[in-house]
Amino acid sequence: MARDKYILMTTASVPKLIGSLAVPTIISMLITSFYVMADTYFVGKINTQSTAAVGISFSVMAIIQAFGFFFGHGSGNYISRKLGAQDYANAEKMASTGFFYAFTIGIVIAIIVHLFLTPICILLGSTPTILPYTETYLSIILLGAPFMSSSLVLNNQMRFQGNAIYAMVGISIGALLNIGLAPILIFVFEMGIAGAAWSTTISQVCSFIILLIMDHKGTNIRIRFRNFSWSPMLLKEIIFGGSPSLCRQGLASTATILLNIAAGKYGDAAIAGMSIVSRICMFINSFVIGFGQGFQPVCGFNFGAGLYTRVRNGFWFCVKSGVIFLSLCSIIGYIYAPEIVSWFRKEDPLVIEIGAQALRWQLITLPLGTWVILCNMMLQTIRQPMRAIILSSARQGLFFIPFILLLPTFLGLKGVEICQAVSDLCSFILAVPLTIGILKKMRTDHPVHANDTQY
């Protein structure tokens, strides 16, 4: 069966292959993003402070996700290349190693944040009126930290093996459970923001269990503790393949904290408005991210097999598709920005005003994100860690952090609203020279190892 998978990944039509792998991934990404939006929608019915608290707590969730993606992408990239090279023994070792590392780090994060909960909430940008809501929400969410981080590993490993439909089932069921459970706990049982947190935590545990079950289906590599290894070589490969994701998500967490602090100077409505915009853009971008995740196993298999023309063809197919989709979304979103923001918090006109302005600015540069996202995914998969780290650090680190510190000083609230759009434009400009040279070198197929320095 592994041989059949190899033949499929290295000989089938690239657009059809990416499409078959991307569809379940896009569905799971959209459902996951939708449940985050639904959570924001239901919490928005409580009060503005609850909406802001969820946005503030997202920075901690981003840290948990950062380590989940670090071990998931680090192990998954290695697994896809080894399967392409038909080295199944090392692929099995890596699968279990990445999984157990992630579960352990999730436990460590939960313990540390619980011990210093109040000062951490204040550091994240909680105002005195938001702080009680943030403490309640975050203390419950942290109980699911090890399940969240290791679920991301299982999800990504299945994708990189070309078995995205199994990952879709596990992620989607958990997300749908959260969508159904949140309004029941928040409104029927009158648990408020605690109900939102419990629905998220319960859904993450259920998703984890389902993903473990899916892991034992089909051609997926089984997670077994006996395959766990302390091998420095495997850890090195995780670092090479996962560092871009860790930088990207870690900087996203830092950027969220600084955004909340900058917006907090203009009141709770500003934090809530920017939080809503982040969720909306995350939902729209989930299509391109899902498409890129469908491309990654194709990229890894074919790069490992030395079929570089197929890697290029897949990359350009995804770029064209993503630009068209995001352009359409940007036009529609720009026109109806106030109405879209009002879905989440129509009771507060100031939230709508701030959110609509910020959303329109972000939508202007949104299509450029297609190039940045797909370049980063390709560079990460073909083991170009330095280029991938630079690019993954750009949007939320190299550019966003300096801009969020400087622009509000000169432009006030407008500086907060335009910061992400300016950062996206700069990231696009940086991504072009980082990637064009690599694409030119892959114009022809010739024997080369995945860790060849020319790539």
Side-chain angles (χ1 to χ4, degrees):
M1 294 180 71
R3 177 64 182 173
D4 293 339
K5 175 68 70 175
Y6 172 83
I7 294 172
L8 174 68
M9 297 292 283
T10 55
T11 61
S13 167
V14 171
K16 291 182 178 179
L17 184 58
I18 292 175
S20 65
L21 294 171
V23 168
T25 305
I26 290 172
I27 292 173
S28 62
M29 286 293 300
L30 288 174
I31 292 175
T32 301
S33 297
F34 181 74
Y35 104 70
V36 172
M37 291 177 66
D39 211 29
T40 304
Y41 172 81
F42 293 129
V43 170
K45 299 299 180 182
I46 304 172
N47 53 39
T48 298
Q49 286 70 34
S50 293
T51 305
V54 172
I56 289 171
S57 300
F58 182 75
S59 55
V60 174
M61 296 177 69
I63 293 174
I64 299 169
Q65 291 171 348
F67 283 100
F69 283 122
F70 172 68
F71 292 110
H73 287 165
S75 60
N77 282 317
Y78 179 85
I79 289 168
S80 69
R81 294 199 307 272
K82 288 303 173 183
L83 292 177
Q86 303 183 68
D87 181 359
Y88 305 115
N90 277 314
E92 289 178 347
K93 287 183 181 179
M94 179 59 90
S96 296
T97 300
F99 172 83
F100 287 109
Y101 269 134
F103 194 88
T104 302
I105 202 70
I107 295 174
V108 172
I109 292 173
I111 292 173
I112 292 174
V113 178
H114 265 296
L115 289 175
F116 304 98
L117 184 60
T118 299
I120 286 176
C121 289
I122 296 173
L123 179 65
L124 297 179
S126 290
T127 63
T129 52
I130 296 173
L131 182 59
Y133 297 93
T134 308
E135 289 179 327
T136 299
Y137 187 82
L138 195 55
S139 63
I140 298 170
I141 286 292
L142 287 168
L143 298 176
F147 304 100
M148 183 193 304
S149 58
S150 51
S151 290
L152 288 169
V153 173
L154 290 171
N155 177 46
N156 283 287
Q157 287 182 356
M158 289 180 196
R159 286 194 306 98
F160 277 101
Q161 294 173 63
N163 297 322
I165 193 165
Y166 293 105
M168 179 195 73
V169 172
I171 294 295
S172 299
I173 291 177
L176 291 171
L177 176 63
N178 190 20
I179 293 172
L181 197 57
I184 295 174
L185 295 182
I186 293 172
F187 304 116
V188 178
F189 289 92
E190 299 181 347
M191 295 175 66
I193 195 170
W198 276 115
S199 67
T200 300
T201 301
I202 292 170
S203 68
Q204 287 169 353
V205 174
C206 291
S207 182
F208 169 82
I209 294 171
I210 294 168
L211 283 169
L212 273 182
I213 295 172
M214 292 294 103
D215 180 67
H216 286 72
K217 303 288 185 181
T219 59
N220 287 313
I221 296 174
R222 279 40 170 173
I223 300 297
R224 297 185 175 93
F225 187 72
R226 68 171 180 266
N227 287 332
F228 174 82
S229 173
W230 294 102
S231 168
M233 183 275 292
L234 293 181
L235 184 57
K236 175 184 175 182
E237 290 295 335
I238 290 175
I239 293 172
F240 274 131
S243 292
S245 296
L246 182 63
C247 289
R248 180 175 61 251
Q249 292 294 122
L251 287 170
S253 177
T254 303
T256 302
I257 294 170
L258 294 175
L259 176 62
N260 290 329
I261 292 173
K265 296 177 181 178
Y266 304 96
D268 294 350
I271 298 177
M274 297 306 299
S275 175
I276 289 171
V277 171
S278 296
R279 300 299 190 278
I280 294 170
C281 291
M282 183 189 304
F283 179 76
I284 299 174
N285 269 322
S286 64
F287 174 86
V288 177
I289 295 172
F291 223 92
Q293 289 179 343
F295 163 66
Q296 280 184 301
V298 178
C299 177
F301 265 84
N302 287 280
F303 189 85
L307 303 175
Y308 307 122
T309 299
R310 288 173 62 82
V311 176
R312 279 174 49 90
N313 291 343
F315 173 81
W316 287 115
F317 169 70
C318 291
V319 168
K320 293 173 184 176
S321 302
V323 168
I324 292 172
F325 177 80
L326 289 188
S327 296
L328 290 173
C329 289
S330 295
I331 293 171
I332 296 171
Y334 192 93
I335 296 171
Y336 296 103
E339 290 81 1
I340 294 172
V341 176
S342 69
W343 292 345
F344 301 91
R345 188 61 189 158
K346 64 181 179 181
E347 295 84 359
D348 194 330
L350 187 56
V351 171
I352 297 173
E353 180 185 349
I354 294 172
Q357 287 296 322
L359 180 59
R360 281 175 168 157
W361 279 108
Q362 290 197 30
L363 290 174
I364 292 173
T365 58
L366 196 66
L368 300 179
T370 302
W371 177 264
V372 178
I373 291 169
L374 290 168
C375 287
N376 187 53
M377 287 184 169
M378 183 185 70
L379 292 172
Q380 187 173 359
T381 303
I382 66 174
R383 203 175 183 275
Q384 281 288 310
M386 290 310 300
R387 291 173 186 258
I389 288 173
I390 291 172
L391 188 52
S392 65
S393 303
R395 184 174 184 263
Q396 301 284 24
L398 296 177
F399 299 119
F400 185 89
I401 291 176
F403 285 143
I404 196 62
L405 293 174
L406 292 175
L407 291 181
T409 302
F410 298 101
L411 301 175
L413 180 58
K414 180 65 68 179
V416 177
E417 295 170 347
I418 71 172
C419 186
Q420 190 64 72
V422 177
S423 301
D424 289 347
L425 176 60
C426 293
S427 298
F428 171 77
I429 295 172
L430 175 64
V432 173
L434 279 177
T435 311
I436 289 296
I438 299 295
L439 290 169
K440 287 181 178 178
K441 290 180 180 180
M442 289 194 292
R443 281 178 175 166
T444 58
D445 297 336
H446 56 84
V448 66
H449 296 292
N451 60 354
D452 194 315
T453 54
Q454 69 171 314
Y455 288 93

PDB file of all heavy atoms in Angstrom, residues 56-68:
ATOM      1  N   ILE A  56      -7.731  38.380  23.543  1.00  0.00           N
ATOM      2  CA  ILE A  56      -6.500  38.423  24.338  1.00  0.00           C
ATOM      3  C   ILE A  56      -5.972  37.017  24.609  1.00  0.00           C
ATOM      4  O   ILE A  56      -4.770  36.750  24.529  1.00  0.00           O
ATOM      5  CB  ILE A  56      -6.752  39.175  25.656  1.00  0.00           C
ATOM      6  CG1 ILE A  56      -6.933  40.670  25.362  1.00  0.00           C
ATOM      7  CG2 ILE A  56      -5.615  38.957  26.653  1.00  0.00           C
ATOM      8  CD1 ILE A  56      -7.403  41.479  26.544  1.00  0.00           C
ATOM      9  N   SER A  57      -6.870  36.085  24.905  1.00  0.00           N
ATOM     10  CA  SER A  57      -6.470  34.705  25.194  1.00  0.00           C
ATOM     11  C   SER A  57      -5.895  34.002  23.968  1.00  0.00           C
ATOM     12  O   SER A  57      -5.157  33.018  24.091  1.00  0.00           O
ATOM     13  CB  SER A  57      -7.669  33.905  25.714  1.00  0.00           C
ATOM     14  OG  SER A  57      -8.183  34.473  26.900  1.00  0.00           O
ATOM     15  N   PHE A  58      -6.230  34.512  22.798  1.00  0.00           N
ATOM     16  CA  PHE A  58      -5.768  33.871  21.563  1.00  0.00           C
ATOM     17  C   PHE A  58      -4.249  33.830  21.475  1.00  0.00           C
ATOM     18  O   PHE A  58      -3.685  32.920  20.864  1.00  0.00           O
ATOM     19  CB  PHE A  58      -6.342  34.609  20.352  1.00  0.00           C
ATOM     20  CG  PHE A  58      -5.963  33.977  19.040  1.00  0.00           C
ATOM     21  CD1 PHE A  58      -6.564  32.799  18.622  1.00  0.00           C
ATOM     22  CD2 PHE A  58      -5.014  34.568  18.218  1.00  0.00           C
ATOM     23  CE1 PHE A  58      -6.211  32.215  17.424  1.00  0.00           C
ATOM     24  CE2 PHE A  58      -4.656  33.989  17.013  1.00  0.00           C
ATOM     25  CZ  PHE A  58      -5.260  32.805  16.608  1.00  0.00           C
ATOM     26  N   SER A  59      -3.563  34.803  22.098  1.00  0.00           N
ATOM     27  CA  SER A  59      -2.099  34.817  22.026  1.00  0.00           C
ATOM     28  C   SER A  59      -1.502  33.612  22.736  1.00  0.00           C
ATOM     29  O   SER A  59      -0.483  33.065  22.302  1.00  0.00           O
ATOM     30  CB  SER A  59      -1.542  36.111  22.611  1.00  0.00           C
ATOM     31  OG  SER A  59      -2.019  36.309  23.926  1.00  0.00           O
ATOM     32  N   VAL A  60      -2.125  33.157  23.836  1.00  0.00           N
ATOM     33  CA  VAL A  60      -1.650  31.953  24.523  1.00  0.00           C
ATOM     34  C   VAL A  60      -1.966  30.719  23.693  1.00  0.00           C
ATOM     35  O   VAL A  60      -1.148  29.796  23.564  1.00  0.00           O
ATOM     36  CB  VAL A  60      -2.283  31.829  25.924  1.00  0.00           C
ATOM     37  CG1 VAL A  60      -1.890  30.505  26.574  1.00  0.00           C
ATOM     38  CG2 VAL A  60      -1.846  32.987  26.810  1.00  0.00           C
ATOM     39  N   MET A  61      -3.157  30.683  23.112  1.00  0.00           N
ATOM     40  CA  MET A  61      -3.514  29.567  22.240  1.00  0.00           C
ATOM     41  C   MET A  61      -2.565  29.501  21.046  1.00  0.00           C
ATOM     42  O   MET A  61      -2.226  28.415  20.566  1.00  0.00           O
ATOM     43  CB  MET A  61      -4.960  29.713  21.769  1.00  0.00           C
ATOM     44  CG  MET A  61      -5.976  29.634  22.903  1.00  0.00           C
ATOM     45  SD  MET A  61      -7.678  29.881  22.356  1.00  0.00           S
ATOM     46  CE  MET A  61      -7.955  28.380  21.421  1.00  0.00           C
ATOM     47  N   ALA A  62      -2.115  30.674  20.578  1.00  0.00           N
ATOM     48  CA  ALA A  62      -1.173  30.709  19.458  1.00  0.00           C
ATOM     49  C   ALA A  62       0.164  30.089  19.842  1.00  0.00           C
ATOM     50  O   ALA A  62       0.820  29.449  19.013  1.00  0.00           O
ATOM     51  CB  ALA A  62      -0.976  32.148  18.983  1.00  0.00           C
ATOM     52  N   ILE A  63       0.573  30.254  21.107  1.00  0.00           N
ATOM     53  CA  ILE A  63       1.823  29.640  21.567  1.00  0.00           C
ATOM     54  C   ILE A  63       1.686  28.119  21.589  1.00  0.00           C
ATOM     55  O   ILE A  63       2.584  27.386  21.158  1.00  0.00           O
ATOM     56  CB  ILE A  63       2.202  30.168  22.962  1.00  0.00           C
ATOM     57  CG1 ILE A  63       2.563  31.652  22.882  1.00  0.00           C
ATOM     58  CG2 ILE A  63       3.364  29.365  23.546  1.00  0.00           C
ATOM     59  CD1 ILE A  63       2.809  32.298  24.231  1.00  0.00           C
ATOM     60  N   ILE A  64       0.550  27.641  22.094  1.00  0.00           N
ATOM     61  CA  ILE A  64       0.300  26.188  22.107  1.00  0.00           C
ATOM     62  C   ILE A  64       0.294  25.653  20.677  1.00  0.00           C
ATOM     63  O   ILE A  64       0.905  24.619  20.377  1.00  0.00           O
ATOM     64  CB  ILE A  64      -1.032  25.883  22.803  1.00  0.00           C
ATOM     65  CG1 ILE A  64      -1.006  26.360  24.255  1.00  0.00           C
ATOM     66  CG2 ILE A  64      -1.347  24.383  22.752  1.00  0.00           C
ATOM     67  CD1 ILE A  64      -2.362  26.337  24.944  1.00  0.00           C
ATOM     68  N   GLN A  65      -0.386  26.367  19.792  1.00  0.00           N
ATOM     69  CA  GLN A  65      -0.428  25.963  18.387  1.00  0.00           C
ATOM     70  C   GLN A  65       0.962  26.025  17.760  1.00  0.00           C
ATOM     71  O   GLN A  65       1.293  25.196  16.899  1.00  0.00           O
ATOM     72  CB  GLN A  65      -1.387  26.866  17.618  1.00  0.00           C
ATOM     73  CG  GLN A  65      -2.851  26.666  17.995  1.00  0.00           C
ATOM     74  CD  GLN A  65      -3.757  27.712  17.377  1.00  0.00           C
ATOM     75  OE1 GLN A  65      -3.282  28.720  16.852  1.00  0.00           O
ATOM     76  NE2 GLN A  65      -5.065  27.490  17.446  1.00  0.00           N
ATOM     77  N   ALA A  66       1.772  26.993  18.190  1.00  0.00           N
ATOM     78  CA  ALA A  66       3.120  27.132  17.634  1.00  0.00           C
ATOM     79  C   ALA A  66       3.927  25.863  17.843  1.00  0.00           C
ATOM     80  O   ALA A  66       4.596  25.374  16.918  1.00  0.00           O
ATOM     81  CB  ALA A  66       3.830  28.324  18.285  1.00  0.00           C
ATOM     82  N   PHE A  67       3.856  25.302  19.051  1.00  0.00           N
ATOM     83  CA  PHE A  67       4.596  24.065  19.310  1.00  0.00           C
ATOM     84  C   PHE A  67       3.943  22.867  18.622  1.00  0.00           C
ATOM     85  O   PHE A  67       4.633  21.932  18.204  1.00  0.00           O
ATOM     86  CB  PHE A  67       4.722  23.841  20.812  1.00  0.00           C
ATOM     87  CG  PHE A  67       5.769  24.695  21.462  1.00  0.00           C
ATOM     88  CD1 PHE A  67       5.427  25.853  22.138  1.00  0.00           C
ATOM     89  CD2 PHE A  67       7.106  24.351  21.370  1.00  0.00           C
ATOM     90  CE1 PHE A  67       6.391  26.664  22.711  1.00  0.00           C
ATOM     91  CE2 PHE A  67       8.088  25.154  21.950  1.00  0.00           C
ATOM     92  CZ  PHE A  67       7.730  26.309  22.619  1.00  0.00           C
ATOM     93  N   GLY A  68       2.611  22.899  18.499  1.00  0.00           N
ATOM     94  CA  GLY A  68       1.945  21.830  17.764  1.00  0.00           C
ATOM     95  C   GLY A  68       2.369  21.812  16.307  1.00  0.00           C
ATOM     96  O   GLY A  68       2.680  20.745  15.744  1.00  0.00           O
TER      97      GLY A  68
END
